[in-house]
């Protein structure tokens, strides 16, 4: 029941709401039987497209993302070669490339060629991102430091009548940056490399990433995830230094000879392949020792250190044993290196818009 109270000037009007249990008087403006229009509050998400584009166009971020994408795409393409290379280096199965391919297919099917590829992709994304990002950053920092050092004529040391002038011009920014890139990425991502090798070499014992992590931790704790870190770092220094130095040197020399400002995609593929071939050949014995240490526990015999691993290889297989699997390694490293540089430069062009890094 609704009754209206008498109206009085300068007084509010009221409605009487009641039922069998009682009544209540409310202001007429709050008459509940009349429809009311409400201004709904609308929430609109901000447009993040422009900030994201600007963020990706930041030089360091663009190089970091370009490295990650290039590494992932390359590993997805070349996973079978990585599987064969790892098996031959650690001495599992056939001693030649074709025999190893056939052996994997017979035992595990075609999918066996991609054994451990999931962890390989997971590993390579941060590894390549950190590696390329560190290389570019340190190279620029070293170049800038050399320029400032030369402008200030560098510090001098006076010893009696002898005046010594210190100079940084003899140091190659590319070589220093390459070494730094290899060391930083290795320290950050080495556990993923250990997991990848275990999944590749012994998929029966390590059928999944979770089981592999659990078993490795149970057998040796956190330290087991860094098995072989010493030879890895020692081997990474000559490899990474030579790898980046060769690429930058060949790239600049080729552009100078051909009177070009930039390389074509085909040129990047070739120059990258040559730089990978050279670096791999120089550091391959250390790579053999590193792999032996990382997966030696699988065969029940793990050398205590890198020198022991090298001695064991020479004693069992002679000096040529230090290059066992070198052909398979080159078969994998050369296309991998070439494709990685090609993808990396392409993504940099796309994300950074301008080619400001030559």
């Amino acid at each position: 029941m609704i009754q209206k109270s008498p109206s009085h000037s300068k007084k509010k009007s009221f409605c009487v709401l009641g039922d069998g249990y009682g009544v209540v008087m409310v202001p007429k403006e709050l008459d509940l039987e009349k429809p009311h229009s409400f201004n709904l509050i609308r929430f609109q998400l901000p447009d993040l497209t422009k900030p994201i584009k600007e963020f990706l166009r930041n030089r360091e971020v663009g190089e970091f993302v370009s490295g990650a994408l290039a590494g992932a795409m390359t590993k997805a393409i070349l996973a079978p070669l990585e599987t064969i290379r790892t098996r031959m280096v650690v001495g599992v199965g056939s001693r030649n490339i074709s025999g190893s391919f056939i052996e994997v297919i017979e035992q595990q099917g075609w999918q066996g060629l991609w054994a451990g590829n999931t962890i390989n992709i997971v590993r390579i994304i941060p590894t390549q991102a950190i590696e390329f990002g560190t290389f570019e950053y340190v190279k620029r920092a070293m170049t800038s430091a050399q320029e400032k050092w030369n402008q200030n004529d560098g510090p001098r040391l006076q010893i009696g009548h002898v005046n010594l002038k210190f100079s940084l011009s003899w140091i190659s920014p590319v070589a220093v940056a390459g070494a730094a890139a290899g060391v930083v990425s290795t320290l950050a991502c080495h556990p993923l490399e250990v997991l990848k090798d275990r999944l590749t070499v012994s998929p029966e014992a390590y059928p999944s990433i979770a089981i592999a992590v659990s078993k490795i931790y149970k057998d040796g704790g956190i330290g087991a995830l860094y098995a072989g870190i010493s030879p890895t770092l020692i081997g990474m220094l000559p490899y990474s230094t030579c790898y980046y130095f060769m690429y930058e040197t060949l790239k600049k020399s080729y552009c100078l000879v051909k009177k070009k400002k930039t390389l074509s995609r085909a040129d990047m593929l070739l120059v990258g392949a040559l730089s990978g071939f050279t670096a791999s050949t120089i550091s391959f014995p250390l790579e053999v020792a590193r792999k032996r240490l990382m997966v030696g526990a699988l065969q029940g015999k793990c050398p205590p250190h890198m020198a022991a691993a090298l001695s064991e290889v020479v004693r069992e297989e002679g000096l040529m044993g230090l290059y066992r699997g070198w052909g398979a390694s080159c078969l994998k490293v050369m296309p991998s290196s070439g494709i990685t540089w090609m993808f990396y430069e392409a993504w940099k062009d796309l994300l950074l818009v301008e080619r400001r890094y030559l």
Side-chain angles (χ1 to χ4, degrees):
M1 158 180 91
I2 299 179
Q3 296 179 353
K4 292 186 179 179
S5 63
S7 60
H8 299 281
S9 60
K10 299 182 180 180
K11 291 185 178 180
K12 292 183 178 180
S13 299
F14 293 89
C15 293
V16 180
L17 304 179
D19 54 20
Y21 298 97
V23 297
V24 64
M25 297 181 66
V26 298
K28 189 175 181 181
E29 290 80 0
L30 298 179
D31 187 353
L32 300 179
E33 289 192 355
K34 290 184 177 181
H36 293 274
S37 61
F38 295 93
N39 292 325
L40 297 177
I41 300 176
R42 296 182 178 180
F43 294 95
Q44 185 175 2
L45 294 175
D47 184 8
L48 300 177
T49 303
K50 186 175 181 180
I52 291 175
K53 286 182 178 180
E54 291 300 322
F55 178 74
L56 290 177
R57 285 179 181 176
N58 177 275
R59 185 162 190 164
E60 286 74 19
V61 174
E63 291 162 351
F64 190 90
V65 174
S66 297
L69 293 172
M73 295 170 72
T74 302
K75 290 302 178 184
I77 294 172
L78 300 176
L81 293 178
E82 173 70 13
T83 298
I84 297 304
R85 171 180 174 270
T86 301
R87 290 173 63 89
M88 294 190 68
V89 168
V90 301
V92 174
S94 177
R95 291 174 175 266
N96 59 73
I97 298 172
S98 60
S100 189
F101 263 108
I102 296 172
E103 190 174 72
V104 171
I105 294 172
E106 288 178 347
Q107 294 176 358
Q108 305 172 37
W110 287 99
Q111 63 272 22
L113 294 173
W114 275 266
N117 192 50
T118 301
I119 188 62
N120 210 12
I121 295 293
V122 173
R123 176 190 69 87
I124 204 62
I125 289 176
T127 300
Q128 290 292 81
I130 294 171
E131 191 170 319
F132 277 109
T134 302
F135 169 73
E136 299 282 10
Y137 179 81
V138 174
K139 182 178 71 171
R140 283 194 299 273
M142 280 293 299
T143 302
S144 177
Q146 283 185 336
E147 292 175 353
K148 291 180 180 179
W149 191 289
N150 293 332
Q151 288 175 358
N152 298 330
D153 202 27
R156 296 175 180 272
L157 178 63
Q158 184 74 33
I159 303 178
H161 298 288
V162 180
N163 188 13
L164 300 177
K165 177 183 176 181
F166 295 96
S167 174
L168 292 179
S169 58
W170 59 275
I171 300 177
S172 169
V174 174
V176 174
V183 171
V184 172
S185 64
T186 298
L187 290 174
C189 304
H190 186 76
L192 295 175
E193 176 75 8
V194 174
L195 285 173
K196 187 267 297 181
D197 283 341
R198 296 291 179 94
L199 290 168
T200 300
V201 175
S202 186
E204 302 85 7
Y206 303 95
S208 68
I209 296 175
I211 293 176
V213 172
S214 177
K215 283 188 174 182
I216 293 172
Y217 181 78
K218 183 178 179 181
D219 293 341
I222 297 296
L225 292 172
Y226 280 88
I229 186 65
S230 296
T232 298
L233 289 174
I234 295 173
M236 182 58 69
L237 280 173
Y239 175 83
S240 185
T241 303
C242 180
Y243 178 65
Y244 286 97
F245 182 79
M246 285 297 296
Y247 179 78
E248 290 288 321
T249 302
L250 289 173
K251 181 175 74 172
K252 290 182 179 180
S253 299
Y254 186 85
C255 289
L256 184 63
V257 171
K258 296 294 183 178
K259 297 181 180 180
K260 294 182 176 181
K261 291 184 179 180
T262 61
L263 297 178
S264 66
R265 301 301 176 212
D267 295 334
M268 292 174 190
L269 190 66
L270 177 61
V271 171
L274 290 175
S275 63
F277 170 79
T278 304
S280 179
T281 302
I282 291 174
S283 62
F284 194 78
L286 297 176
E287 173 75 0
V288 172
R290 181 173 74 92
K291 293 292 185 181
R292 285 292 182 99
L293 288 173
M294 289 173 65
V295 300
L298 295 176
Q299 301 173 345
K301 51 176 185 177
C302 185
H305 47 75
M306 184 178 65
L310 291 171
S311 299
E312 180 182 285
V313 174
V314 173
R315 183 174 61 254
E316 294 177 357
E317 306 180 37
L319 290 175
M320 293 304 297
L322 295 175
Y323 279 88
R324 181 186 177 186
W326 174 77
S329 180
C330 289
L331 183 64
K332 176 261 178 183
V333 168
M334 291 181 67
S336 175
S337 178
I339 294 171
T340 298
W341 277 111
M342 183 180 68
F343 281 144
Y344 175 67
E345 300 281 16
W347 278 110
K348 279 178 66 175
D349 286 347
L350 182 64
L351 296 177
L352 301 181
V353 180
E354 300 175 0
R355 293 182 64 89
R356 298 173 293 173
Y357 43 84
L358 280 177

